[in-house]
């Protein structure tokens, strides 16, 4: 794989169980992934009728910026973030945002919105000439920062999740937040190894 536009269906050929020793996440008809912790977010609505999920969007997030652990990301996505807990939080506490999933540094996967519904993760965005990426995408946040290497466990969980999602939906592409909102967003940043993800996804058992 070379550019963002080339991360297409061929990248999802298979995820090797031998690589991780763990099965892929199974996604039910509601869009809830087995083996994840579900923390319900109010920051979603219904997808436009008849809209298929064809895109996965990889994000990076840490709150406060550069700090890992704690529950601030969960609080943001569930509208419980205390604006007084950190100076940065006053700028974002009022946002109505959530991804469908968060993958923590240890590989834990937390789900906030069922994939059949539209989570508010992408904002103003476009992919392959199509605007409003929230309509047809699933958002996956990785706990991290643009310039900090992501953890081994996160790549494994992301690959397992991507395969499970493709088994349920006609996913054709995977892109970064920066790819769908260039000039506005930079995540998951230069620290994210797309080649490594491609290798995991293409590694047939």
């Amino acid at each position: 794989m070379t550019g963002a536009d080339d991360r297409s269906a061929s990248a999802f050929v298979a995820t090797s169980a031998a690589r991780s020793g763990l099965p892929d996440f199974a996604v039910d008809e509601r869009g809830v992934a087995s083996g994840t912790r579900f923390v319900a977010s109010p920051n979603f609505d219904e997808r436009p009728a008849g809209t298929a999920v064809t895109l996965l969007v990889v994000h990076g997030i840490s709150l406060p910026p550069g700090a890992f652990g704690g529950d601030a990301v969960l609080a943001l996505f569930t509208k419980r973030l205390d604006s007084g807990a950190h100076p940065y939080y006053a700028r974002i506490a009022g946002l109505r945002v959530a991804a469908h999933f968060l993958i923590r540094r240890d590989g834990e996967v937390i789900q906030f919105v069922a994939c059949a519904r539209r989570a508010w993760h992408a904002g103003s965005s476009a992919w392959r000439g199509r605007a409003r990426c929230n309509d047809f995408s699933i958002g996956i946040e990785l706990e991290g920062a643009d310039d900090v290497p992501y953890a081994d466990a996160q790549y494994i969980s992301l690959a397992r999740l991507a395969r499970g999602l493709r088994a349920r939906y006609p996913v054709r592409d995977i892109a970064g937040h920066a790819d769908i909102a260039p000039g506005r967003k930079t995540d998951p940043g230069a620290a994210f190894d797309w080649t490594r993800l491609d290798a995991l996804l293409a590694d047939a058992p």
Side-chain angles (χ1 to χ4, degrees):
M1 303 298 167
T2 53
D5 284 355
D6 293 323
R7 293 193 289 270
S8 58
S10 62
F12 291 97
V13 174
T15 302
S16 173
R19 272 273 180 107
S20 66
L22 297 169
D24 299 320
F25 290 100
V27 181
D28 68 20
E29 65 279 0
R30 300 167 299 159
V32 176
S34 65
T36 67
R37 177 158 62 105
F38 197 95
V39 178
S41 169
N43 300 329
F44 71 90
D45 59 3
E46 300 302 321
R47 297 186 188 273
T51 300
V53 172
T54 59
L55 174 68
L56 305 184
V57 178
V58 179
H59 302 254
I61 190 169
S62 55
L63 290 177
F68 307 140
D71 65 356
V73 175
L74 279 72
L76 175 66
F77 287 174
T78 55
K79 289 194 66 63
R80 298 182 295 103
L81 187 64
D82 180 0
S83 62
H86 187 277
Y88 182 75
Y89 296 170
R91 298 166 46 188
I92 63 170
L95 296 178
R96 300 175 68 193
V97 296
H100 291 89
F101 298 96
L102 169 68
I103 301 179
R104 308 211 73 161
R105 301 294 291 183
D106 63 0
E108 180 191 11
V109 179
I110 303 170
Q111 185 165 4
F112 298 90
V113 177
C115 297
R117 292 173 162 168
R118 177 172 59 186
W120 303 335
H121 65 94
S124 178
S125 55
W127 179 248
R128 297 189 185 276
R130 186 179 179 187
R132 297 174 59 87
C133 291
N134 281 342
D135 291 353
F136 57 93
S137 69
I138 290 170
I140 304 171
E141 293 274 7
L142 303 180
E143 185 178 27
D146 287 7
D147 57 354
V148 178
Y150 291 87
D152 293 347
Q154 291 180 294
Y155 287 100
I156 294 295
S157 291
L158 178 57
R160 293 172 59 214
L161 181 59
R163 181 167 166 83
L165 291 168
R166 186 179 184 269
R168 172 60 61 178
Y169 303 106
V171 173
R172 294 195 300 266
D173 298 304
I174 181 168
H177 199 186
D179 298 324
I180 66 169
R184 188 175 69 83
K185 294 295 182 178
T186 61
D187 58 308
F192 186 78
D193 189 343
W194 288 103
T195 300
R196 181 175 183 181
L197 177 62
D198 287 343
L200 280 170
L201 292 170
D203 181 30

